[in-house]
Amino acid sequence: LAKVSLALHLLAGFMARRALVLGASGQLGRRLCTVFNERQWVAIGADTRGGIPSAHAFVFNAHHTLEEQTQKLLTDLKPLLEESRLDAVVNVAGGFAMGSASDPQVLSATQGMVESSVYSSVMAAHVASCFLKPGGLLVLPGAFAALGPTGFSLPYGSAKAAVHQIVRSLADAEAAGLPAGATTVGLAPKILDTPQNRGAMPDADSSTWATLDEVASQLVDWSVDPTSLQSGHVYVVEKEPGSPATFEAQPAL
């Protein structure tokens, strides 16, 4: 009986779905890891900070180069995955930064946004090229605002538009170096309901903001079955008062 129980345990581990979450210590990243865990996935979290709610968490060394961080992640993933592959790679890193052309800090703010959104997305794509299963899902952190001009924030708009370009470029998976049949989409929320956004916009109507639970649940649903998604598109996240959030595909650029 003990042998049968062990065999079933090992089989369950072998059959479990696996997802890598980049930006896993952020608010959406933490919630996403939790939802993956609740649905019996193996959630693997990675970020530059700790506090990742997963048994499999990797914290990047801030003193390492991007190549060193990426290589370390690949090295750590290999024994964890063994002969299996990732079902999904979801990057929810990013953040926000204001800054018009006249802002004295616009260059440093832009650098920060490029590092958090663009570099992490290229890292996600590279990891996916190595470990994503054929037909798997890659999600990158876009933004609704970047579908139009963002004169109020050159750092945010330019970084997110670059992520949209990456999404578009990965639409043809095999030509872009991804596993056959892989689907790549961008997540483009208008506003998410977070404590930071509530604090920054205390008079705004938060009933039109998608909750972290709604977004995390949708991302897991997509990871289970990405076949309905349009690869190379971004999915705009909107919400009407009293209604659930919607996720509508739009061309990335």
Side-chain angles (χ1 to χ4, degrees), residues 62-113:
H63 299 293
H64 288 174
T65 66
L66 289 168
E67 287 79 8
E68 290 171 335
Q69 291 176 355
T70 304
Q71 188 56 51
K72 182 66 165 59
L73 179 59
L74 294 174
T75 300
D76 289 341
L77 283 172
K78 192 169 185 179
L80 178 60
L81 294 173
E82 296 180 336
E83 299 302 318
S84 60
R85 311 282 284 183
L86 293 167
D87 294 85
V89 175
V90 185
N91 180 19
V92 288
F96 180 78
M98 293 289 288
S100 68
S102 63
D103 190 330
Q105 305 300 319
V106 67
L107 290 174
S108 60
T110 301
Q111 181 180 11
M113 282 302 308

Side-chain angles (χ1 to χ4, degrees), residues 205-209 238-245:
D205 181 7
S206 60
S207 67
T208 63
W209 300 355
E238 298 183 274
K239 187 172 182 176
E240 296 293 331
S243 300

Side-chain angles (χ1 to χ4, degrees), residues 8-253:
L8 290 174
H9 176 75
L10 293 174
L11 180 61
F14 179 76
M15 296 177 64
R17 299 187 180 192
R18 295 164 172 82
L20 172 66
V21 178
L22 296 176
S25 67
Q27 291 189 5
L28 179 56
R30 291 197 303 270
R31 186 61 197 142
L32 181 56
C33 285
T34 299
V35 175
F36 271 126
N37 288 328
E38 290 172 348
R39 298 201 194 178
Q40 308 305 310
W41 282 59
V42 175
I44 306 165
D47 207 325
T48 56
R49 298 170 295 164
I52 299 170
S54 172
H56 309 288
F58 302 115
V59 178
F60 298 121
N61 188 326
H63 299 293
H64 288 174
T65 66
L66 289 168
E67 287 79 8
E68 290 171 335
Q69 291 176 355
T70 304
Q71 188 56 51
K72 182 66 165 59
L73 179 59
L74 294 174
T75 300
D76 289 341
L77 283 172
K78 192 169 185 179
L80 178 60
L81 294 173
E82 296 180 336
E83 299 302 318
S84 60
R85 311 282 284 183
L86 293 167
D87 294 85
V89 175
V90 185
N91 180 19
V92 288
F96 180 78
M98 293 289 288
S100 68
S102 63
D103 190 330
Q105 305 300 319
V106 67
L107 290 174
S108 60
T110 301
Q111 181 180 11
M113 282 302 308
V114 169
E115 290 175 352
S116 62
S117 292
V118 181
Y119 291 169
S120 66
S121 293
V122 175
M123 177 188 288
H126 183 62
V127 173
S129 76
C130 298
F131 289 119
L132 187 66
K133 74 176 186 180
L137 176 65
L138 172 62
V139 180
L140 302 180
F144 171 77
L147 295 172
T150 57
F152 64 93
S153 178
L154 298 183
Y156 184 75
S158 59
K160 294 300 185 178
V163 174
H164 291 182
Q165 171 63 20
I166 296 172
V167 170
R168 182 182 181 187
S169 299
L170 296 175
D172 186 340
E174 292 181 82
L178 294 179
T183 296
T184 300
V185 297
L187 186 69
K190 284 192 171 181
I191 303 178
L192 296 181
D193 191 354
T194 65
Q196 286 90 337
N197 284 337
R198 284 178 177 259
M201 296 173 280
D203 298 325
D205 181 7
S206 60
S207 67
T208 63
W209 300 355
T211 68
L212 298 181
D213 280 339
E214 288 177 309
V215 176
S217 180
Q218 184 63 72
L219 288 169
V220 176
D221 288 345
W222 285 346
S223 299
V224 171
D225 181 13
T227 56
S228 65
L229 297 173
Q230 298 181 58
S231 193
H233 285 62
V234 298
Y235 280 73
V236 174
V237 186
E238 298 183 274
K239 187 172 182 176
E240 296 293 331
S243 300
T246 61
F247 299 76
E248 298 294 333
Q250 291 194 23
L253 293 173

